[in-house]
Amino acid sequence: MAINPKKTPMPTQDPIERGRNFNEVAIGYTVEMALGEAERCLNCKNKPCVSGCPVNIDIPSFISKIKESDFEGAYQVISKYSSLPAVCGRVCPQESQCESKCTLGIKFEPVGIGRLERFVADYHNANATEKPVKPTPNGHKVAVVGSGPSGLTCAGDLAKKGYAVTVFEALHTAGGVLVYGIPEFRLPKSIVAKEVQTLNDLGVEVKTNVVIGKTLTVDELFEDGYEAVFIGSGAGLPNFMNIPGESLKGVYSANEFLTRSNLMKAYREKSDTPIMKGGKVAIVSGGNVAMDAARTALRLVAEKVYIVYRRYMTELPARKEEVEHAEEEGIDFKLLCNPIEILGYDNPDDKRDPKNGTVVGIKCIKMELGEPDERGRRSPVPVEGSEFVLDVDAVVMSIGTSPNPLIKSTVDGLEVNRKGCIIVNEDGLTSREGIYAGGDAVTGASTVISAMGAGKVAAKAIDDYIMNK
Amino acid sequence: MYRIVKKEELNPTVTFMSIEAPMVAKKAEPGQFIILRVDEEGERIPLTIAGYDREQGTVDIIFQIVGGTTMKLNAKNQGDYIQDFVGPLGNKTETEGVKKACIVGGGVGCAIAYPVAKKLHELGCEVTSIVGFRNKDLVILEKEFDEASDRLFRMSDDGSWGEQGVVTAPLKAMLDAGERFDVVIAIGPVIMMKFVTLTTKPYDQKTVVSMNPIMIDGTGMCGGCRLTVNENGKRVTKFACVDGPDFDAFTVDFDEAMMRGRMYAEFEAHVRDEACNLFKAEVK
Ligand SMILES: Cc1cc2nc3c(=O)[nH]c(=O)nc-3n(C[C@H](O)[C@H](O)[C@H](O)COP(=O)(O)OP(=O)(O)OC[C@H]3O[C@@H](n4cnc5c(N)ncnc54)[C@H](O)[C@@H]3O)c2cc1C
Ligand code: FES
């Protein structure tokens, strides 16, 4: 049978229609589509895809199960390696991980591994009936700081071994970036809630509204009888560009914009949380966060949404699928240009005019590619005299985040690097005994799968540590 | 869920509540704040800690009914619950080494200023308090301030309570007379803090202000609370929730803070009207 050179396309909501609602964009494979896509897998002996997966999921083996229509069996294979398949199937940058190594990809399009992973996870969530059983307690207590993918994974793995695990979360809902950052149309919150429910069923206690370093300190956790602490506090501190006008009304960090919309549900009519709606919006930078902010702005009925990015299209760091979706939805990409100032309204005759200080435009300068550096990469340099103004009513700064200094400043002897990232060894152990860390708090802003992987590694190391104490 | 242990109307627009939150009560210090959410659809709003009882495990808040959320909160009664209550956030007011202080409070800002005055008083510091209100109907915490202060100046805009005039008048008179303090701590509307600062600056009188910008998370994650300070001639962005809320008054860009504070003025007015209509409908 000839191999279909193309991936089975993912069914999606119509681009125009979805640009005005917050429902999930990608609808997911049907059973027939999944079977068809699974058939494309060559089941290579050397499994190159596995080496592309940050947690080394045995990909050909779960796809073989799909071929046999044993979807639950496929789920069991994935769940040996990943605790969040329904999430990762949706948000992993597969094109630069597993799918980039796929043998089929040399000549054709690679196997749609991510889409199959999502199919299997959704199938399991829809059909599995038995609840996870609470393991027999082993009498040891572990605390987890932060309920993002790293914290949830570490908590789940330890709970399965019988540990009494408490997760402390600063915000009012568990999930970390999965609930406050990534929008509903890309990752429905019900999926995250289900993952948290599974942890609850395993006996994990999630305490929201506790800021470690303020409400309680890590040292107090040890005094309370926790024998080890895992820090998965993420990298939530937003950076700004430090250009004039960043304090104007209508300039948001991507975190603020997305938090207002996702966590605080400002997109719903009922919500008490205000957010900028309508108008023209510029999003600065081109990562996943920027795409999410742009597409959220669009759904908040913006007339026009720009992505302002200093490099060119092929260098956009966002997942390929998100860029494609954003283009289909009509997001306008202003490439090779860089903001230099945000302009505000100022009524010279009335200092008390309430419109004073609101954003009216963003001044940018065009960029061109300079001489290649020693690595051959040509970095953008400004073109003199090429300044221009985009008329906008809001600007979302999405130029990255760093770890929050709160943990570092309240844990004596915790070593961090220049960027404020916690330093750990290969087991996730920090410079202090009994304190482990992982995820964005260690790597800086990264990916869900690597955060999850770090949670797994640390859970194993914590188990070894406590058992050998 | 967090129980409202006590509720009291301090004046028609200002309410006191004592909330059961033992973990917060254990750590709370004057100058710090909490963030609460009234219900599932509620927004997160910061309120400064007006008092705490470590044994009872309660934290006091005092709030002015200004927008939809404070209206919703005020509709709750003793024994009811609020959805979320997290803290203590921000840094405490620096009290170490302070022997003589002047506390300037304006309007509901007095609710924040009071625990600071009280703490300093308990530490044996000489406390001069200047508190100002628009008129006598809006006065709160008079007795408390009286007890916590060695000297108390009562000011009102219309002269219906204490002396007529602004809070900066007695402050300027004292400074003119050669009096100096280890610190002047001003807490109230941004415009008041700006004028206190303009008053003390010519005398190089150290002044601290407690900033209260719009916030969401209160942990340094959104940057919505940012303000600009001048650090050795350079304009630097600070996050009030983690770097503050107290700042050296001489460094703060007050005009920008006032401008940012009005970001959602229209939305607030709209919600307030809606909420009012709702309440009116209920009363009918
Ligand atoms: C908008 C957006 C889109 C993204 N899209 C993708 C994508 O498509 N694919 C992908 O792989 N990755 C994506 N990422 C990155 C990915 O979400 C993160 O790498 C991942 O969530 C990191 O997980 P974590 O567990 O380290 O931390 P986080 O998810 O950041 O969670 C940390 C949690 O700790 C809490 N916390 C912090 N400090 C404290 C404290 N002191 N006390 C208590 N709790 C605390 C925080 O409130 C938070 O809930 C995206 C990120 C953003 C912001
Ligand atoms: S309130 Fe979000 S950073 Fe301060």
Side-chain angles (χ1 to χ4, degrees), chain A residues 190-261:
Chain A
S190 54
I191 291 178
V192 186
K194 193 165 163 54
E195 297 298 347
V196 176
Q197 185 53 48
T198 308
L199 288 191
N200 289 336
D201 293 342
L202 284 169
V204 173
E205 187 185 7
V206 181
K207 283 198 174 155
T208 51
N209 296 331
V210 180
V211 184
I212 298 300
K214 288 285 176 188
T215 318
L216 286 173
T217 62
V218 169
D219 288 303
E220 284 167 328
L221 294 175
F222 284 111
E223 285 163 26
D224 283 350
Y226 293 99
E227 293 166 67
V229 176
F230 174 77
I231 299 173
S233 53
L237 194 77
N239 301 335
F240 287 92
M241 285 184 83
N242 294 320
I243 57 173
E246 267 182 319
S247 304
L248 292 167
K249 289 188 278 186
V251 182
Y252 295 91
S253 74
N255 268 2
E256 177 179 3
F257 188 70
L258 290 169
T259 299
R260 281 181 185 272
S261 180

Side-chain angles (χ1 to χ4, degrees), chain A residues 209 214 220 246 253 272 404, chain B residues 27 72 84 90 219 222 226:
Chain A
N209 296 331
K214 288 285 176 188
E220 284 167 328
E246 267 182 319
S253 74
D272 292 342
N404 194 317
Chain B
K27 286 290 174 65
K72 244 186 189 177
D84 296 294
T219 63
C222 74
R226 65 192 184 275

